[in-house]
Amino acid sequence: VDRHSWYVQQLASAVWNFTATRADEAAFEKGFIWCVDVNSEVYRNVCDSLLEFQVNLLKAIANNEQQLSSVNTLRKYRLGTSASVTKNKKILLNMDIINVSQEKIEFQDPLFKVWFAKKFIYD
């Protein structure tokens, strides 16, 4: 949960709920899945509000692509032009979906990244 205080508390509570006598890896896994699932409606609504190029850009970010405007990345993820990447990156940043720091681009919400990857990358 990347030290996000809200998710740390939510995860700790969920793990506690899945613990009989002592927290173990199974309780943690169930708690983590529960945290992702309980937020899935919000994540679905966010994705429903995005354009195809924006979803494709999130796919590239979820796959840890850092050269988003490279010819290979533009083609692989169908991102349009490098100007389109710049525009959509700014939109996603303004929507608080991504963070850009020291040229590293990542999801602002670590559970959204997990949910997104499950729905758009691994399915």
Side-chain angles (χ1 to χ4, degrees):
V1 294
D2 254 357
R3 298 180 308 273
H4 283 68
S5 60
W6 166 251
Y7 287 140
V8 169
Q9 292 174 12
Q10 189 179 47
L11 179 58
S13 177
V15 170
W16 179 262
N17 289 333
F18 288 108
T19 299
T21 57
R22 181 180 167 138
D24 58 11
E25 194 170 322
F28 177 84
E29 184 66 27
K30 288 177 186 176
F32 186 78
I33 291 168
W34 181 85
C35 287
V36 173
D37 289 346
V38 78
N39 292 294
S40 66
E41 188 64 29
V42 172
Y43 303 147
R44 189 174 303 111
N45 288 337
V46 168
C47 288
D48 286 347
S49 73
L50 300 175
L51 300 174
E52 182 180 354
F53 283 135
Q54 294 160 348
V55 171
N56 291 347
L57 183 56
L58 288 177
K59 289 177 184 177
I61 294 168
N63 278 323
N64 298 313
E65 297 284 355
Q66 294 299 313
Q67 301 296 322
L68 297 174
S69 294
S70 74
V71 174
N72 288 337
T73 304
L74 292 173
R75 285 186 190 142
K76 181 178 180 180
Y77 295 96
R78 295 176 297 156
L79 298 175
T81 64
S82 60
S84 175
V85 168
T86 300
K87 180 185 100 181
N88 287 312
K89 185 168 60 170
K90 185 175 182 177
I91 290 168
L92 295 173
L93 186 61
N94 289 336
M95 293 176 71
D96 292 326
I97 295 173
I98 62 171
N99 282 330
V100 179
S101 61
Q102 299 174 354
E103 298 304 314
K104 184 175 183 183
I105 302 166
E106 57 192 0
F107 280 71
Q108 186 176 50
D109 182 330
L111 295 184
F112 181 40
K113 180 180 180 179
V114 171
W115 179 88
F116 186 88
K118 182 179 173 187
K119 296 295 179 188
F120 290 94
I121 307 296
Y122 303 120
D123 270 355

